[in-house]
Amino acid sequence: MLPLLIAEQIREGDAYTIANEPISSIDLMERASRAFVGWFANHFPDRNQGITFYCGTGNNGGDGLAIARLLCEHHYNKLNVVVARFSDKASDDFNTNLQRIKKTCVKLSELASGEKIPFDDSPVIIDALLGSGLNKPLSGDYKKLVTYINDLERTVVAVDVPTGFFSEGEAAKDTVAIKADLVITFQQPRINFLLPESAPYINCWEAVNIGISEKFVQGLHSPYQFVEEKDIRQMLKPRHRFSNKGTYGHALIVAGQAKTMGAALLSSSAAAHAGAGLTTACIPESGLTALNSYLPEIMAIVRNSDGLPEIEWDKFSSIAVGPGLGKDDNSLSLLKAIIKNYKKPMVIDADALNLLAENKELLQGLPPGSILTPHMKEFDRLFGEHTNWWQRLQTSIKKAKELNLCILLKNDYTIVATPNGTAYFNSSGNAAMASGGMGDVLTGIIAALLGQKYPPEQACIIGAYIHGKAGDELALPNRMHVVLPGKLIAQLPVTMAKLKA
């Protein structure tokens, strides 16, 4: 896992690396700038394109000056640096890089406080004004300059963190910050990059390794972790010879009504394709024909409107409840029966989440390690209204510990909050997957993994990753605008096999 650090911890990591590698701070800045340039030069190869750097007088500005000098050495010949002298303060490393850049081909100018901003016709702008650690909204000269840059509507690349954007914590509504087409950040993404509030300010980001002490960073035990493919490869279990359907568990999917059988079909099919040895769908009798036609491999327990179905609870290795279930009295009675009779971790999704929100006393009766899989609105119905995603992140960590549950909060970077107080951000998935039924698929995948005896935390982390990875393998190479849930289900065994190859 890649630890995600707050700004203070990043500074601690820099200081530790400087003291223990050892390396001087100016040389660490040089290393970071070279990492930035390595990525930038590969993606912006036109040496004749005009590039303007806007640099503050702190270390972010020092990075900008070093990057401009290095690009000059790479024969970029239309480089312009504007130093924003909005205070008398300047870091030592900024001053060192300012002296170095004066000996190069780079055109250098300064912008004083209150001065009119000069016209800029460069097609590419590099933002190195303030960087990380900002703890209050922009005002005055910085706000004016950032607004000017945004109004230019040019290609903007930010160094480390867009100026005005908080790297963690709650951002004020209508924040004024650089709107970056690309952020090249150092070592690891900032936590707020992974939350929806980043959308207006960060089109995409790339983290470049600058050699911060990995041992020190791991020793910080950050509660925020970023899941990478190598982590999933280590977690996934191989399938061995002489195993059988009983080896891989029996998943029960309690889902669907007459008008919402699609959710039950998708969830059950996903469980089978994600490796459950046996899958049974508990569905209304009206859905039997659809189930048998869609996937004859799925068994059925029939629900009638006049009572609870007979379920042999001990038969099942895992249970998922909710997709398309409805919120009527029969559905509530069924959910209560499941919670009363089934003592292993279960997956709660969709309508079952909404029933829990209306009957919050049921939350206390869920078996330890159970998994809630809400989207934003379901989450707020369960745990109260939130005005931003940082609040939701903190609430998910708190409630996962308090209730001894895993909470999988759906998002571009789906968050898995666990009872030990850790929040894992998923790194796979893409916008082509934004179609109805994808959540039902994820529920089935997690149920299958629970049935295969993965611990709840791993079932969530692996489930979210392979769900997104299958979508990536379909959408990205084929430039698909939309990936439908049924196609993604069929891809699951291929994706899982690749991860174990």
Side-chain angles (χ1 to χ4, degrees):
M1 301 288 176
L2 180 66
L4 301 173
L5 307 182
I6 62 173
E8 182 181 348
Q9 291 172 321
I10 291 168
R11 287 191 289 272
E12 289 174 11
D14 289 349
Y16 181 90
T17 302
I18 289 167
N20 290 274
E21 185 172 330
I23 185 173
S24 67
S25 61
I26 190 67
D27 287 341
L28 182 60
M29 181 177 284
E30 188 78 0
R31 192 159 75 190
S33 300
R34 288 189 182 279
F36 182 106
V37 168
W39 204 94
F40 181 90
N42 282 328
H43 294 79
F44 293 82
D46 186 355
R47 265 63 174 171
N48 296 314
Q49 186 169 237
I51 303 174
T52 297
F53 291 74
Y54 287 90
C55 298
T57 54
N59 281 349
N60 191 240
D63 290 328
L65 294 174
I67 291 163
R69 171 173 46 79
L70 291 169
L71 286 177
C72 178
E73 292 174 6
H74 282 69
H75 307 296
Y76 285 78
N77 55 36
K78 291 185 179 179
L79 302 175
N80 177 39
V81 168
V82 178
V83 173
R85 286 277 185 188
F86 296 155
S87 78
D88 295 331
K89 296 179 181 178
S91 72
D92 292 340
D93 290 343
F94 169 85
N95 286 330
T96 298
N97 272 313
L98 183 63
Q99 295 307 311
R100 289 176 178 179
I101 202 169
K102 288 178 178 178
K103 302 173 185 177
T104 70
C105 65
V106 180
K107 180 183 175 184
L108 183 66
S109 61
E110 295 196 357
L111 180 65
S113 179
E115 205 169 73
K116 183 180 179 182
I117 302 168
F119 175 73
D120 189 342
D121 62 356
S122 294
V124 176
I125 288 171
I126 294 185
D127 161 38
L129 286 166
L130 291 176
S132 64
L134 188 73
N135 57 15
K136 62 181 180 180
L138 293 180
S139 60
D141 292 303
Y142 281 113
K143 182 177 181 180
K144 179 181 175 183
L145 180 54
V146 165
T147 301
Y148 171 80
I149 292 170
N150 286 339
D151 287 346
L152 290 174
E153 298 185 347
R154 308 285 165 73
T155 298
V156 178
V157 181
V159 178
D160 201 24
V161 177
T163 294
F165 184 78
F166 287 14
S167 57
E168 73 265 347
E170 295 184 39
K173 287 186 177 180
D174 303 319
T175 293
V176 175
I178 286 289
K179 296 177 180 179
D181 298 279
L182 169 66
V183 180
I184 301 178
T185 193
F186 300 136
Q187 204 67 27
Q188 67 271 312
R190 305 304 185 255
I191 298 163
N192 276 354
F193 289 10
L194 310 179
L195 300 178
E197 278 85 4
S198 69
Y201 308 103
I202 301 172
N203 188 38
C204 64
W205 57 265
E206 182 71 24
V208 294
N209 192 318
I210 64 170
I212 299 301
S213 171
E214 188 173 333
K215 181 180 178 182
F216 178 81
V217 169
Q218 292 290 347
L220 292 171
H221 302 295
S222 171
Y224 312 106
Q225 300 284 324
F226 191 63
V227 179
E228 299 177 292
E229 183 171 307
K230 64 182 180 181
D231 303 314
I232 306 304
R233 289 183 180 274
Q234 291 172 358
M235 289 182 196
L236 271 178
K237 304 172 188 175
R239 290 204 163 203
H240 296 292
R241 294 181 66 199
F242 302 110
S243 58
N244 57 63
K245 61 189 178 186
T247 308
Y248 302 110
H250 191 167
L252 174 64
I253 309 296
V254 183
Q257 286 194 336
K259 295 181 179 180
T260 53
M261 269 303 296
L265 298 177
L266 289 170
S267 193
S268 303
S269 180
H273 282 80
L278 295 165
T279 304
T280 294
C282 180
I283 58 171
E285 186 173 8
S286 59
L288 273 176
T289 301
L291 179 66
N292 291 331
S293 302
Y294 185 72
L295 207 69
E297 293 88 346
I298 306 295
M299 296 175 288
I301 295 174
V302 173
R303 302 198 316 262
N304 294 307
S305 58
D306 55 356
L308 295 173
E310 292 186 11
I311 299 175
E312 298 177 55
W313 303 103
D314 292 339
K315 265 177 68 171
F316 299 103
S317 312
S318 65
I319 291 180
V321 54
L325 185 66
K327 297 192 295 178
D328 57 23
D329 290 343
N330 287 338
S331 298
L332 178 59
S333 296
L334 180 54
L335 177 61
K336 287 180 176 178
I338 293 169
I339 294 172
K340 178 182 177 182
N341 292 288
Y342 195 73
K343 300 308 177 186
K344 299 175 187 175
M346 63 181 71
V347 188
I348 311 288
D349 185 33
D351 286 331
L353 290 172
N354 292 324
L355 287 170
L356 284 181
E358 294 170 2
N359 303 269
K360 288 190 170 63
E361 70 280 0
L362 295 178
L363 278 168
Q364 304 298 330
L366 292 174
S370 289
I371 297 165
L372 310 181
T373 62
H375 55 57
M376 181 185 77
K377 290 183 179 179
E378 291 165 342
F379 184 88
D380 283 6
R381 284 194 283 269
L382 277 167
F383 301 121
E385 289 296 317
H386 297 75
T387 59
N388 58 65
W389 274 80
W390 182 264
Q391 291 178 0
R392 291 187 185 93
L393 172 60
Q394 304 312 312
T395 298
S396 69
I397 294 171
K398 176 185 174 185
K399 290 297 182 181
K401 291 173 67 175
E402 185 181 296
L403 297 168
N404 197 17
L405 304 171
C406 291
I407 300 174
L408 185 149
L409 178 52
K410 297 168 186 173
N411 181 13
D412 263 29
Y413 299 93
T414 287
I415 301 162
V416 176
T418 59
N420 68 5
T422 304
Y424 298 90
F425 287 81
N426 182 51
S427 61
S428 65
N430 61 84
M433 296 169 62
S435 61
M438 279 296 181
D440 305 322
V441 172
L442 180 57
T443 296
I445 294 170
I446 295 172
L449 294 169
L450 278 181
Q452 292 167 72
K453 298 185 173 60
Y454 286 92
E457 176 181 304
Q458 287 193 7
C460 289
I461 293 169
I462 296 169
Y465 187 87
I466 62 175
H467 180 253
K469 184 67 172 177
D472 289 343
E473 290 178 348
L474 288 171
L476 303 184
N478 303 307
R479 299 180 182 272
M480 291 177 69
H481 191 62
V482 175
V483 171
L484 294 180
K487 297 292 185 183
L488 187 141
I489 290 169
Q491 180 68 22
L492 286 171
V494 179
T495 297
M496 295 176 79
K498 286 179 181 178
L499 290 168
K500 285 312 299 175

